Amino acid sequence: MTAREPSMPLRAWPRCDQTVAWSALSGHAQVHGRDLDLRQLFRDDPHRVQRLSLQAPEVWADLSRAHWDLATQRHLLDLARECGLAEQRDAMLRGELVNRTEGRAVLHTALRAPRGQAPFSDVVHAELDRMLAFVAGVRAQAGGTQPGDIHDIVHIGIGGSDLGPQMVAAALSTWVHPGLRLHFISNVDGQELASVLPALHPDHTLFVVASKTFTTQETLANARAARQWFLDAGGRDVARHFVAVSADPRRAADFGIGTCFAFWDWVGGRFSLWSAIGLPVALALGGDAFRALLTGAHDMDRHFAEAPLEANLPVWLGLLDVWHRNFKGYSSRCVSPYAQGLKRLPAYLQQLVMESNGKSVDADGRVLPYATSDVVWGEPGTNGQHAFFQMLHQGRDVIPVEFILVGRPAYPDADVLSAELKDLLRVQHESLLANALAQAQALMWGKTEAQALREASPTAAPGVPAEVIARHRTFSGNRPSLTMLLDALTPRSLGALVALYEHRTFVSGAIWGINSFDQWGVELGKALCQDLLPRLQSGDTQGLDAATAATIGRLRQGRDGA
Ligand code: F6P
């Protein structure tokens, strides 16, 4: 199967804000949205959780504490139908050129479909088999003492060629081969690579240079530096210790790397961890674990493709994002995984969501009058409680919080832990979960001034009336959150979770009528940098704007003075 010409014109559906459903939602927001109080909604409907929670493959989600109700959801589902959400989804899955500004299909789903069940299945599985055969060879000697036995894998890439593999490797660190260490180098700041090199030996290091275009300045600079180190350190066989991953193998060969694992232009960078970009994950975890990751994502793909919109978790979440963003006016969301292994998930989601939907024109190039992507940020819990939860509870802005919980913990070498230590760690995991539950409860129920007054001790702050203290200790409550629960963090459950976020991002982008799959916004800075780099080196600020010229001058002054 191959990519297909678009079956739909650029503007195939009414713009979302010109639909009947959008008007209904606007009216709904006026009547129900403004004074919506979660506490009252739960009092009015004892079945609210059952009605607004949903089990998808590997992921259970409770959306009952989001700022919506069943009537809201019905209007949003009407909006999805008026905007042709299902038709847009099916066109993407069929391999139509839905990335219209780049003339490409969008088929990251084909990377994880079983043989014969998606477009391009033959080439996908041929390259996957080839990559995993290479992986098996490296892992068979991993940690060995012979030259060429690999101990360290240094993955060089940035953006979608870094964030996905790094996030997965961190999440599944307990599955990593005991003889292998993974290092991720992305920033053009040489400090990152230089900090890793001293611990490496050229005979036991494999460099993976990952770049879809193989033109990204950061990646090529780090690859050149890594190669220089390798030769300086007495490395003898570049071909054996450097492999590439790219959609442009010719450029990789021109750079001097003979082994290249390929992927294709219909795989967006931020959707590419399922392709050969996932090579470091496969090396670290093994082929079976990598295939399980793909299976989990495929499970979610099938749910997204087949479940009716009314019982489709990516659809629920994407529509809720539209409601929170366009009708409640929430401009950011905090993703707080209560699982340290998911510490890189917020960073991964920043690219997935904000590079996909941080757009201001629709398919026709018309500037949109309504908001699109919110700002995604966050850190794992419980750390966030000691950093920014103050603002989430008592700030002026309402910021929906996404709690991601993992029921069962996983620890490296669990079988060598003593019974006493296992028991302590078990209690810590229960404390982690209890903290997440408490934060969601506090956000929703808050604390009244009367409750705070009853608790205030008269000597709390000498000279400050108890009423004043109480007002500082009042929590408005009625703050929205989502809870997502994985029974355990495994390759399969992680694959499903990430695919859930991919499809959720597609849903809101499709409703907004934007192209979620290009990223023209990153090009201007890259182009300007090409002009500024030599100027920084030469000091020539002729024709530059005053601010840039002044900064260059100050930098050079400081450098000359060093
Ligand atoms: O940030 C811009 C971008 O093009 C991303 O979309 C991409 O993931 C990243 O740079 C890296 O691109 P490449 O994989 O081609 O090096």
Side-chain angles (χ1 to χ4, degrees):
M1 284 183 260
T2 58
R4 302 179 181 183
E5 287 304 313
S7 62
M8 294 182 281
L10 272 176
R11 163 63 56 201
W13 311 96
R15 204 175 71 186
C16 57
D17 63 332
Q18 294 166 0
T19 60
V20 171
W22 189 278
S23 302
L25 281 161
S26 300
H28 181 69
Q30 289 304 319
V31 174
H32 297 286
R34 200 167 302 285
D35 58 6
L36 176 149
D37 189 316
L38 287 166
R39 294 158 292 203
Q40 189 58 47
L41 291 174
F42 273 91
R43 282 191 282 267
D44 293 348
D45 178 3
H47 303 293
R48 182 176 169 84
V49 173
Q50 288 80 356
R51 291 190 172 98
L52 289 174
S53 60
L54 193 60
Q55 179 69 55
E58 305 289 337
V59 182
W60 176 79
D62 174 10
L63 281 61
S64 66
R65 285 183 281 208
H67 268 176
W68 67 343
D69 61 17
L70 289 172
T72 320
Q73 194 184 58
R74 280 194 297 273
H75 288 308
L76 288 166
L77 288 166
D78 290 343
L79 178 66
R81 283 185 277 272
E82 279 194 80
C83 294
L85 175 64
E87 293 82 351
Q88 293 188 61
R89 170 200 64 194
D90 297 345
M92 174 179 72
L93 296 175
R94 272 198 304 270
E96 292 191 17
L97 304 183
V98 297
N99 176 356
R100 303 295 294 272
T101 61
E102 295 181 304
R104 293 173 178 170
V106 172
L107 277 169
H108 43 283
T109 49
L111 298 172
R112 58 246 192 167
R115 290 181 201 279
Q117 294 188 20
F120 303 113
S121 180
D122 294 349
V123 291
V124 165
H125 281 274
E127 198 63 11
L128 174 62
D129 292 345
R130 175 171 168 257
M131 181 180 84
L132 295 187
F134 171 78
V135 163
V138 171
R139 286 171 59 87
Q141 312 301 330
T145 57
Q146 299 305 309
D149 294 353
I150 300 304
H151 303 173
D152 291 276
I153 296 161
V154 180
H155 181 88
I156 298 174
I158 197 165
S161 295
D162 162 67
L163 289 165
Q166 185 173 170
M167 178 271 297
V168 173
L172 301 174
S173 60
T174 58
W175 302 65
V176 175
H177 187 297
L180 288 175
R181 291 182 304 181
L182 268 181
H183 313 274
F184 289 90
I185 304 298
S186 49
N187 200 324
V188 74
D189 180 347
Q191 187 278 335
E192 190 174 41
L193 177 65
S195 66
V196 165
L197 295 175
L200 306 179
H201 188 291
D203 288 350
H204 301 299
T205 301
L206 175 66
F207 291 94
V208 179
V209 182
S211 176
K212 179 175 178 181
T213 60
F214 229 84
T215 62
T216 304
Q217 55 168 317
E218 296 94 332
T219 301
L220 299 182
N222 278 314
R224 280 191 290 271
R227 184 169 54 189
Q228 185 60 53
W229 168 85
F230 181 79
L231 297 172
D232 294 349
R236 289 178 294 281
D237 188 349
V238 170
R240 184 170 187 181
H241 292 272
F242 282 76
V243 297
V245 177
S246 184
D248 195 337
R250 181 181 47 77
R251 284 185 185 274
D254 293 346
F255 182 84
I257 298 178
T259 301
C260 182
F261 297 99
F263 62 111
W264 304 274
D265 70 3
W266 38 263
V267 179
R270 52 192 173 273
F271 298 90
S272 64
L273 78 86
W274 326 96
S275 72
I277 289 289
L279 175 58
V281 170
L283 286 165
L285 308 184
D288 291 347
F290 189 76
R291 288 187 188 275
L293 183 79
L294 299 179
T295 300
H298 180 64
D299 293 342
M300 190 60 73
D301 293 345
R302 289 200 54 194
H303 169 73
F304 180 48
E306 298 166 9
L309 300 186
E310 296 75 12
N312 194 308
L313 187 54
V315 171
W316 279 28
L317 287 165
L319 291 176
L320 180 61
D321 291 338
V322 171
W323 170 253
H324 273 170
R325 185 80 176 99
N326 298 103
F327 297 94
K328 299 296 290 179
Y330 303 151
S331 59
S332 87
R333 80 175 98 135
C334 172
V335 177
S336 190
Y338 272 66
Q340 190 61 23
L342 292 175
K343 62 189 174 185
R344 293 298 291 159
L345 183 65
Y348 171 80
L349 293 177
Q350 286 184 329
Q351 186 195 18
L352 176 64
V353 177
M354 294 158 70
E355 193 167 84
S356 294
N357 290 346
K359 313 282 170 69
S360 54
V361 298
D362 66 8
D364 298 327
R366 292 182 305 182
V367 176
L368 294 172
Y370 47 78
T372 53
S373 181
D374 56 353
V375 175
V376 177
W377 60 280
E379 284 288 330
T382 57
N383 300 55
Q385 298 170 205
H386 303 273
F388 47 76
F389 267 71
Q390 160 62 44
M391 180 172 176
L392 296 176
H393 285 290
Q394 294 187 325
R396 290 287 296 159
D397 294 293
V398 174
I399 300 172
V401 183
E402 300 192 1
F403 295 97
I404 301 170
L405 282 60
V406 175
R408 292 194 304 275
Y411 305 112
D413 302 332
D415 49 356
V416 302
L417 302 180
S418 70
E420 294 78 3
L421 177 53
K422 275 183 185 174
D423 199 47
L424 290 173
L425 293 174
R426 179 184 55 76
V427 171
Q428 284 185 230
H429 189 74
E430 287 165 359
S431 170
L432 176 72
L433 298 176
N435 270 280
L437 296 173
Q439 291 300 322
Q441 211 173 40
L443 285 167
M444 174 167 147
W445 294 101
K447 179 187 289 186
T448 63
E449 190 173 331
Q451 287 170 320
L453 193 57
R454 282 197 294 274
E455 292 169 5
S457 75
T459 60
V464 180
E467 295 73 21
V468 173
I469 299 292
R471 278 199 286 277
H472 282 272
R473 298 185 178 184
T474 298
F475 290 68
S476 67
N478 194 26
R479 304 232 169 173
S481 66
L482 315 178
T483 300
M484 283 187 261
L485 171 61
L486 284 66
D487 291 331
L489 194 51
T490 65
R492 187 161 186 165
S493 65
L494 181 62
L497 179 69
V498 175
L500 173 61
Y501 272 102
E502 288 178 340
H503 296 320
R504 168 183 183 178
T505 304
F506 169 83
V507 168
S508 52
I511 297 295
W512 288 322
I514 59 181
N515 181 350
S516 296
F517 303 105
D518 60 13
Q519 52 285 320
W520 300 111
V522 304
E523 295 309 322
L524 178 57
K526 290 181 183 177
L528 294 174
C529 183
Q530 297 304 320
D531 171 57
L532 289 172
L533 180 55
R535 288 171 174 273
L536 186 59
Q537 290 160 339
S538 69
D540 169 17
T541 58
Q542 183 65 35
L544 285 181
D545 64 280
T548 305
T551 308
I552 288 177
R554 186 64 186 79
L555 281 167
R556 291 180 53 82
Q557 178 189 353
R559 184 184 311 174
D560 298 346

